[in-house]
């Protein structure tokens, strides 16, 4: 069940919220746990074994946390057991298909492996919890029901944001529900739904339709227009999900962390990755970069540590080679920026924005193509001066698609800036603001009734 489905919007969420608000405070965590299990069970209906895997993951990590909190002398041991347990499962599901196809082992068919919803985010959430308990940064949670309610909380269980127990412990024990909190949550949810239904789905359709033509039959102009659409699509799809999750969290009395901060307004790739998928970047910094030494041991060691972060980032996103190339590309770009380029980009903002207008779609090109031959063909279309085989571009094809999809491209360009946040803050709580939010919600629902409720792309990571 997706956030952008009519079943969720008009059945699951209203009935759950009604029961949640009626429930006495002491029983809300149990109800949240039950609702989250139901939400997850619906999502894995065709692979019920993954619900058992989730239950096993919760039980093992809770026990390891209790052990780390009780037997303090062996905290590092419990942490490493947790790291091995969580990442072994993640590795199995992410890379079993690759091993299977390369070696013919038959692992996937023998074990009937179906990629579980949210396994990557849950693995990171579990390791962060055990790391904090092991380091004494937070107390272990001795209530299994409270731990499970946090771990599989349905707003964030499938695609983040990556919530940390230490940041949510206070609200998990006591949270205040109010009309203001509900309305603030609804506004976030409505804007996120608009990002998904009105922008991401339309931009994704454009990318799919251009891809179906075949890259040897498109002009350079259409190739650039297509990757611009993909860049907007991936942003509004993921930022939309994050906003919807934050909104539902607010309705439940929780403050989920911000995940996007107008990343396309960045002046460098370094700044971009401080604004994009903030909770993932924070996790890598806290649990890989800093433990390796961060920037404390000189320039060379800093770059080695950065390489480890971007290597893991590529591995985390997928098992195909393009994700490793994507991670290496970002590493090289950020190293160049740190060596000399960033100071000029920061000093001349216009130059920084022009630089990122080129670099953002190029980086997403490496992300979008899992087939390296298709990637090479597309790069040849982006840069016609590169050697390429026989091509059949149609003159003016880019103009045809621009005229066909201007209604989502233009709003997408506007909404990927910081302007929407400024308008929301200015109109928050006003009649005009609430009218606009209601209109976005209604129009989004109408669009969902006219098309299929496309799943969120980051549910596959």
């Amino acid at each position: 069940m997706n956030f952008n489905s009519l079943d969720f919007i008009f059945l699951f969420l209203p009935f759950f919220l009604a029961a949640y608000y009626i429930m006495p405070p002491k029983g809300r965590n149990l109800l949240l746990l039950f609702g989250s299990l139901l939400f997850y069970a619906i999502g894995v209906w065709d692979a019920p074994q993954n619900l058992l895997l989730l239950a096993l993951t919760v039980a093992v990590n809770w026990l390891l946390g209790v052990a780390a909190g009780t037997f303090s002398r062996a905290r590092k041991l419990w942490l490493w057991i947790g790291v091995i347990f969580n990442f072994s499962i993640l590795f199995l599901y992410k890379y079993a298909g690759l091993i299977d196809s390369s070696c013919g082992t038959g692992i996937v068919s023998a074990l009937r492996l179906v990629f579980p919803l949210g396994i990557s985010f849950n693995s990171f959430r579990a390791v962060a919890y055990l790391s904090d308990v092991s380091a004494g940064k937070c107390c272990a949670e001795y209530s299994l029901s409270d731990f499970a309610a946090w771990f599989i909380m349905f707003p964030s269980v499938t695609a983040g944001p990556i919530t940390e127990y230490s940041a949510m412990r206070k609200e998990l024990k006591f949270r205040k529900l109010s009309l203001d909190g509900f309305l603030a949550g609804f506004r976030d949810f409505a804007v996120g739904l608009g990002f998904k239904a009105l922008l991401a789905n339309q931009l994704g359709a454009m990318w799919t339709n251009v891809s179906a033509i075949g890259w040897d039959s498109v002009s350079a102009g259409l190739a650039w227009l297509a990757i611009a659409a993909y860049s907007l699509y991936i942003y509004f799809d993921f930022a939309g999900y994050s906003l919807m999750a934050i909104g539902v969290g607010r309705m439940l009395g929780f403050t989920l962390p911000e995940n996007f901060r107008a990343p396309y307004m960045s002046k460098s790739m370094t700044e971009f990755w401080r604004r994009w998928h903030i909770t993932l970047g924070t996790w890598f910094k806290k649990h890989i970069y800093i433990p390796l030494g961060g920037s404390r041991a000189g320039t060379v060691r800093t770059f080695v540590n950065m390489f480890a972060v971007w290597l893991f980032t590529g591995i985390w996103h997928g098992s195909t080679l393009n994700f490793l190339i994507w991670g290496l590309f970002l590493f090289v770009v950020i190293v160049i920026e740190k060596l000399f380029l960033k100071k000029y980009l920061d000093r001349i903002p216009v130059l920084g924005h022009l630089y990122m207008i080129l670099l953002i779609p190029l980086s997403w090109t490496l992300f979008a193509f899992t087939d390296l031959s298709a990637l090479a063909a597309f790069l040849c279309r982006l840069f016609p001066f590169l050697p390429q085989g026989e091509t059949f571009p149609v003159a003016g094809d880019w103009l045809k698609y621009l005229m066909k999809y201007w209604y989502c491209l233009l709003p997408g360009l506007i909404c990927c800036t910081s302007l929407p946040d400024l308008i929301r803050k200015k109109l928050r709580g006003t009649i005009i603001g609430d009218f606009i939010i209601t209109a976005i919600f209604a129009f989004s629902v109408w669009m969902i009734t006219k098309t299929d409720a496309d799943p969120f792309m980051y549910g596959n990571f």
Side-chain angles (χ1 to χ4, degrees):
M1 180 163 45
N2 290 312
F3 285 171
N4 61 322
S5 68
L6 297 179
D7 288 342
F8 178 81
I9 296 170
F10 293 110
L11 289 177
F12 181 88
L13 187 59
F15 281 105
F16 178 82
L17 287 176
Y20 187 80
Y21 274 71
I22 293 170
M23 178 70 68
K26 288 185 178 180
R28 284 180 184 145
N29 282 353
L30 280 175
L31 181 61
L32 178 59
L33 173 57
F34 173 79
S36 299
L37 284 171
L38 177 61
F39 177 86
Y40 195 88
I42 294 172
V44 297
W45 190 259
D46 295 330
Q49 67 273 19
N50 287 342
L51 186 60
L52 297 176
L53 176 64
L54 179 66
L56 175 65
T57 301
V58 169
V60 169
N61 283 289
W62 175 72
L63 286 171
L64 289 171
V66 169
T70 305
F71 306 104
S72 57
R73 291 185 179 180
R75 281 179 176 174
K76 293 295 183 183
L77 172 63
W78 307 121
L79 171 61
W80 279 109
I81 292 174
V83 169
I84 293 170
F85 170 78
N86 289 288
F87 286 158
S88 293
I89 293 175
L90 180 60
F91 181 86
L92 173 64
Y93 278 92
K94 270 191 176 288
Y95 291 94
L98 177 64
I99 297 171
D100 206 359
S101 59
S102 301
C103 306
T105 58
I107 294 175
V108 173
S109 56
L111 298 180
R112 298 181 181 179
L113 296 180
V114 178
F115 194 79
L117 285 173
I119 185 172
S120 296
F121 296 94
N122 291 333
S123 298
F124 278 25
R125 191 180 290 117
V127 170
Y129 166 72
L130 294 175
S131 176
D132 283 346
V133 173
S134 175
K137 294 179 180 178
C138 76
C139 299
E141 177 54 71
Y142 288 88
S143 167
L144 176 58
S145 60
D146 285 357
F147 176 82
W150 160 73
F151 193 82
I152 62 172
M153 189 183 300
F154 72 86
S156 59
V157 68
T158 58
I162 301 172
T163 57
E164 294 198 358
Y165 175 80
S166 57
M168 298 189 67
R169 178 182 175 86
K170 184 177 179 180
E171 290 177 339
L172 192 67
K173 299 301 180 182
F174 174 79
R175 52 195 176 273
K176 184 179 179 181
L177 303 181
S178 66
L179 179 60
D180 287 343
F182 174 85
L183 292 176
F186 175 76
R187 293 183 191 111
D188 285 339
F189 183 87
V191 172
L193 182 63
F195 277 4
K196 174 60 176 172
L198 304 181
L199 294 175
N201 288 353
Q202 319 311 315
L203 292 160
M206 177 183 169
W207 169 256
T208 300
N209 290 337
V210 176
S211 301
I213 298 173
W215 298 118
D216 58 345
S217 300
V218 304
S219 67
L222 183 54
W224 279 105
L225 191 63
I227 197 59
Y230 181 86
S231 300
L232 294 172
Y233 157 63
I234 193 173
Y235 170 67
F236 288 114
D237 190 271
F238 197 16
Y241 178 94
S242 295
L243 261 180
M244 294 171 80
I246 290 169
V248 175
R250 284 189 174 184
M251 295 181 200
L252 300 177
F254 292 97
T255 305
L256 270 61
E258 180 184 24
N259 219 16
F260 292 86
R261 195 178 299 129
Y264 286 0
M265 295 299 292
S266 302
K267 299 183 292 296
S268 65
M269 193 59 74
T270 303
E271 182 185 355
F272 178 88
W273 281 97
R274 290 173 183 158
R275 293 168 170 246
W276 177 279
H277 204 342
I278 295 170
T279 57
L280 179 66
T282 300
W283 192 98
F284 275 114
K285 180 179 179 180
K286 181 178 177 181
H287 300 288
I288 294 182
Y289 182 69
I290 291 177
L292 288 175
S295 58
R296 301 188 302 272
T299 302
V300 174
R301 182 59 184 271
T302 297
F303 290 158
V304 170
N305 297 340
M306 286 171 54
F307 176 78
V309 167
W310 287 108
L311 176 65
F312 279 110
T313 300
I315 291 172
W316 181 82
H317 276 88
S319 60
T320 50
L321 188 57
N322 69 297
F323 290 111
L324 290 178
I325 296 172
W326 171 72
L328 179 61
F329 173 80
L330 293 173
F331 164 72
V332 171
V333 168
I334 292 174
V335 166
I336 293 172
E337 289 180 358
K338 285 190 176 296
L339 287 174
F340 69 92
L341 185 58
K342 190 174 182 297
K343 61 182 179 181
Y344 299 108
L345 300 175
D346 290 340
R347 192 178 302 163
I348 312 172
V350 173
L351 177 62
H353 289 305
L354 291 174
Y355 162 81
M356 289 303 289
I357 286 174
L358 174 66
L359 212 58
I360 287 172
L362 280 179
S363 68
W364 289 133
T365 297
L366 302 176
F367 188 93
F369 289 91
T370 56
D371 184 337
L372 295 187
S373 60
L375 171 61
F378 185 74
L379 288 174
C380 287
R381 303 316 302 145
L382 288 180
F383 303 104
F385 53 82
L386 294 175
Q388 50 192 298
E390 190 175 10
T391 60
F392 308 93
V394 178
D397 55 357
W398 65 272
L399 184 59
K400 171 186 171 183
Y401 277 86
L402 180 62
M403 297 301 294
K404 184 177 180 180
Y405 288 98
W406 70 269
Y407 69 92
C408 58
L409 287 166
L410 181 59
L413 289 172
I414 295 171
C415 290
C416 73
T417 69
S418 54
L419 184 61
D421 281 339
L422 294 175
I423 294 174
R424 287 174 64 200
K425 290 176 182 177
K426 187 73 173 177
L427 298 179
R428 183 178 297 156
T430 66
I431 295 176
I432 295 176
D434 288 342
F435 175 79
I436 293 173
I437 291 295
T438 303
I440 291 173
F441 178 77
F443 192 32
S444 299
V445 169
W446 180 78
M447 285 295 292
I448 292 171
T449 64
K450 297 296 181 182
T451 58
D452 293 332
D454 292 344
F456 292 90
M457 77 174 300
Y458 257 79
N460 298 320
F461 290 98

